[in-house]
Amino acid sequence: VVFSFFLVASITGLAIEPGQGNNIFGISDGAQSFLNYGFHGAVITTILASITWQLAASAFPIAFLNNPLTYVLLCIALFLEWTGLCSGAWVLARVFKSITKLQYDEVYVGTPEERLANGHADKEGTGDVGHLAGGGFVGHLCGSHDALDGPIISKDAIDEAA
């Protein structure tokens, strides 16, 4: 999708110098500068190629689901999910991490105890962290916790360690 967005933008982009009096349809120089980027073609392509089908599916869900092409596309999507190709981002992230020698935040900013000793203590959460974080969020606002590090210890154990 992103590739097609940039491809269409490069195809529909113009090379007309604003301020020379050769603007398309006599539009202003600012509008001509906007059209030179090709963004208008990319937006139209996005609308026609993506949003139109979503609107058709929402307007006629039964007809859309009964379409044999929809079933074939669903099978292809489920096969791709089964192969794990969609999980390739995790592999790429690990390769990038090993190439760039990235480390956990504690290496760069220190552990919570080191930050406390240096006068840069972590800010405590307000308890109202929003509906997306859930009620089980505990820990510091600085530092990291990776899924491979194991479960987060309780807030009481963090306070005792500090």
Side-chain angles (χ1 to χ4, degrees):
V1 172
V2 175
F3 172 74
S4 64
F5 192 85
F6 284 107
L7 179 68
V8 170
S10 66
I11 291 171
T12 60
L14 303 172
I16 298 174
E17 182 85 23
Q20 301 295 326
N22 297 330
N23 294 354
I24 278 186
F25 305 120
I27 60 176
S28 68
D29 290 339
Q32 184 62 51
S33 297
F34 176 76
L35 291 178
N36 285 347
Y37 287 117
F39 186 68
H40 61 287
V43 168
I44 290 170
T45 302
T46 302
I47 291 169
L48 293 178
S50 176
I51 299 173
T52 304
W53 297 108
Q54 292 175 13
L55 290 173
S58 67
F60 309 104
I62 301 299
F64 193 79
L65 291 174
N66 285 336
N67 187 348
L69 179 64
T70 303
Y71 180 74
V72 171
L73 292 175
L74 176 65
C75 289
I76 292 171
L78 290 175
F79 175 76
L80 285 174
E81 182 70 27
W82 174 79
T83 62
L85 289 175
C86 297
S87 301
W90 290 100
V91 176
L92 293 175
R94 287 210 179 225
V95 169
F96 181 76
K97 181 180 176 181
S98 65
I99 289 172
T100 58
K101 308 287 189 227
L102 291 176
Q103 299 178 15
Y104 291 110
D105 287 347
E106 284 80 11
V107 174
Y108 304 109
V109 296
T111 64
E113 294 79 21
E114 292 170 346
R115 291 190 300 270
L116 181 63
N118 291 334
H120 299 287
D122 296 333
K123 300 172 188 167
E124 291 297 325
T126 62
D128 182 24
V129 293
H131 67 283
L132 295 177
F137 176 78
V138 295
H140 302 284
L141 297 179
C142 184
S144 66
H145 183 79
D146 194 87
L148 302 175
D149 292 337
I152 298 175
I153 58 177
S154 69
K155 183 167 178 20
D156 297 331
I158 292 173
D159 291 338
E160 290 172 7

